[in-house]
Amino acid sequence: MFSDKTILIGITGAIAAYKTCELIRLLKKHNANVKIVVTPNALNFVTKTTLETLSQNPINIEQFDIKNFKPEHIALTDESDIFIIAPISANTISKISHGICDNLLTSTFCAYKKPIIIAPCMNTNMWENPAIIQNLEVLKNRGIKIIEPDSGFLACDTQGKGRLADINIIFESAKELLLPSQILKNKKLVITAGGTKENIDPVRYIGNYSSGKMGIALADSAYKLGADVVLISTFEVSKPYKVIVTSDTENMYNSVKNEFKNANSLIMAAAVSDFKVKYKSEQKLKKNGSTITLELIENPDILFEMSKIKTNNQIVVGFCAESQNLLENAKTKILKKGCDYLCANDISNKEIGFSSDENEVYIINKNLEIQKINKDKKTIVAMKILERIYGRS
Ligand code: CTP
């Protein structure tokens, strides 16, 4: 889940520091890179060895322990995606709300511009102290996410509010801030990628230049948005969602038909061969000094067939690569294919499309309305396509 994220955990001198060990384990279990910064007092409650073993990273304590000629508090802000201070003591709350930078943790807070979560833990009387209430209000108004403590039995042998919130709640808040909203949760999306290969004989095929990058970017993005993804690809890829490897068009057609039955949507990003060889040779063709003629016949048009059988609740999206008159051809194509959306890109532009890491797409709907997605990395364009078609903007 967090494989591309670095999470900075801050720990201050409060008894619940031992619970942070479980939070670190949970984040590691979800593949986060965990870095830790502690106040010197935190080490009265949890040891350096424990934290380093759990996070598999050296912990950061000293403000002037400069590595790589970069002040440590700046390095920590640059290297991480979110800062979670749990537990945060009354003392540290008061310091950070006033911009005090007297140790590595408070200095890091002061320089931090990405999302921050704080989870306080203290005695009930301290929690109710007007100074603490006011300081927390200041932090809240500055956009810091505060996870309030729970009520219950406290370490100081009293009952009341002040226990560190459940670590699962802290984990869920981090997830909310770090991952895109789950607009495709409970939706099954079938996505095709790559170029189909039509065999001529056991060693030769007719293929195309599709790299599959756009289809895979769409599948990865749909997975991040919570979808139950089935990627039907013409090459092997290892992914945390279901991947079906197909080769020729007939094969891809059968897999798509099968998976689309109970799906919410199909995205045909694959470059599908329009033709196949009529008579495939069982044996390798030998040269004999004369010409060989291959007779080609049409393949099924998967997009057209699926658009024909789709229900009103299913969304079918096609792609089209054009080398001239992009929008005119795309408009004609969406009407011919009968799909709900067509994403058109201009393959005459060498900077985008096929093997490139970038793309620029026009999304056309059935009413022939057009939205442009500006040139960007395919991963970003993919996310924008999904958001425009299935959701938010
Ligand atoms: N497609 C398909 N089955 C085919 C050919 C294409 O499902 N046999 C899908 C592609 O996956 C893509 C869309 O149709 O989503 C448009 O592909 P494109 O090659 O641009 O369209 P064609 O129908 O092949 O039209 P053209 O005559 O322009 O090649």
Side-chain angles (χ1 to χ4, degrees):
M1 179 183 300
F2 292 131
S3 52
D4 56 346
K5 305 284 180 216
T6 294
I7 297 178
L8 179 62
I9 297 282
I11 306 175
T12 69
I15 180 64
Y18 75 92
K19 296 185 183 170
T20 310
C21 297
E22 281 299 329
L23 176 63
I24 296 164
R25 274 167 60 89
L26 189 59
L27 293 167
K28 289 296 291 178
K29 202 171 125 195
H30 287 84
N31 304 322
N33 178 25
V34 177
K35 298 215 164 188
I36 299 174
V37 54
V38 297
T39 61
N41 278 338
L43 296 179
N44 290 319
F45 297 93
V46 65
T47 74
K48 184 170 177 280
T49 315
T50 312
L51 298 174
E52 292 192 334
T53 309
L54 291 175
S55 68
Q56 295 165 330
N57 270 321
I59 64 163
N60 301 279
I61 316 163
E62 299 298 335
Q63 184 145 20
F64 299 103
D65 180 14
I66 297 176
K67 301 176 193 103
N68 302 328
F69 306 103
K70 198 170 196 182
E72 204 52 32
H73 59 294
I74 303 300
L76 289 171
T77 63
D78 288 350
E79 289 162 3
S80 60
D81 300 289
I82 191 169
F83 189 14
I84 305 172
I85 314 178
I88 186 165
S89 62
N91 184 36
T92 300
I93 289 171
S94 302
K95 287 197 278 188
I96 62 172
S97 61
H98 286 81
I100 293 170
C101 306
D102 62 344
N103 60 40
L104 184 55
L105 187 147
T106 51
S107 306
T108 304
F109 176 89
C110 196
Y112 212 82
K113 286 197 161 168
K114 295 171 214 172
I116 302 177
I117 296 175
I118 61 172
C121 151
M122 65 196 75
N123 160 274
T124 312
N125 290 342
M126 293 167 85
W127 175 252
E128 289 170 352
N129 183 302
I132 301 299
I133 294 172
Q134 206 174 349
N135 291 338
L136 279 167
E137 201 54 32
V138 167
L139 292 171
K140 192 171 155 197
N141 290 337
R142 290 183 190 151
I144 309 300
K145 167 96 182 157
I146 298 163
I147 303 182
E148 290 207 4
D150 282 344
S151 295
F153 180 63
L154 302 180
C156 48
D157 220 7
T158 55
Q159 291 280 340
K161 192 162 177 173
R163 283 155 52 124
L164 181 71
D166 189 319
I167 57 147
N168 289 304
I169 295 179
I170 302 174
F171 177 80
E172 287 302 319
S173 291
K175 216 166 98 181
E176 231 169 73
L177 289 176
L178 279 179
L179 303 181
S181 78
Q182 303 283 288
I183 55 168
L184 292 174
K185 202 173 161 108
N186 299 326
K187 302 247 188 282
K188 176 176 171 183
L189 257 72
V190 180
I191 300 170
T192 63
T196 56
K197 300 183 176 87
E198 301 300 337
N199 282 346
I200 298 170
D201 66 15
V203 294
R204 301 181 183 95
Y205 63 83
I206 299 173
N208 61 62
Y209 290 114
S210 172
S211 64
K213 285 180 186 168
M214 196 63 222
I216 290 172
L218 283 160
D220 287 349
S221 302
Y223 179 72
K224 283 188 189 150
L225 294 173
D228 168 16
V229 174
V230 178
L231 175 70
I232 301 178
S233 162
T234 56
F235 39 78
E236 303 257 359
V237 273
S238 168
K239 292 288 174 188
Y241 45 80
K242 182 172 175 184
V243 178
I244 299 174
V245 180
T246 56
S247 179
D248 62 24
T249 303
E250 200 68 47
N251 216 227
M252 180 176 273
Y253 182 37
N254 289 333
S255 298
V256 168
K257 258 196 301 197
N258 200 25
E259 291 293 336
F260 184 56
K261 273 191 273 194
N262 63 351
N264 298 85
S265 186
L266 166 69
I267 305 181
M268 284 297 303
V272 182
S273 172
D274 290 323
F275 304 99
K276 63 180 168 196
V277 178
K278 188 168 180 188
Y279 303 108
K280 268 186 274 183
S281 172
E282 294 299 321
Q283 307 302 332
K284 187 179 171 205
L285 294 174
K286 298 280 180 199
K287 54 182 183 296
N288 59 9
S290 66
T291 54
I292 287 182
T293 304
L294 293 175
E295 197 175 339
L296 301 180
I297 53 170
E298 271 194 26
N299 261 324
D301 187 321
I302 308 175
L303 182 62
F304 176 73
E305 296 300 333
M306 294 299 110
S307 301
K308 248 185 354 198
I309 62 165
K310 80 173 201 71
T311 65
N312 286 339
N313 297 326
Q314 290 177 305
I315 297 176
V316 174
V317 183
F319 266 72
C320 86
E322 300 291 339
S323 57
Q324 56 183 347
N325 303 330
L326 178 68
L327 294 179
E328 283 315 299
N329 286 340
K331 283 179 185 170
T332 313
K333 200 165 276 183
I334 190 172
L335 297 174
K336 192 175 96 188
K337 301 265 187 179
C339 53
D340 300 290
Y341 296 91
L342 195 68
C343 302
N345 60 289
D346 177 1
I347 51 168
S348 68
N349 182 345
K350 292 284 169 258
E351 287 173 22
I352 57 169
F354 273 157
S355 309
S356 159
D357 286 328
E358 297 199 316
N359 208 354
E360 180 184 86
V361 160
Y362 293 85
I363 305 178
I364 300 166
N365 67 14
K366 277 179 160 173
N367 302 324
L368 305 184
E369 290 157 342
I370 298 171
Q371 291 184 60
K372 184 177 180 192
I373 297 191
N374 290 332
K375 187 176 136 191
D376 215 323
K377 289 201 189 96
K378 281 184 176 168
T379 48
I380 296 186
V381 171
M383 194 54 98
K384 288 189 176 164
I385 290 174
L386 297 176
E387 285 175 352
R388 298 270 173 97
I389 293 181
Y390 303 99
R392 289 181 302 188
S393 50

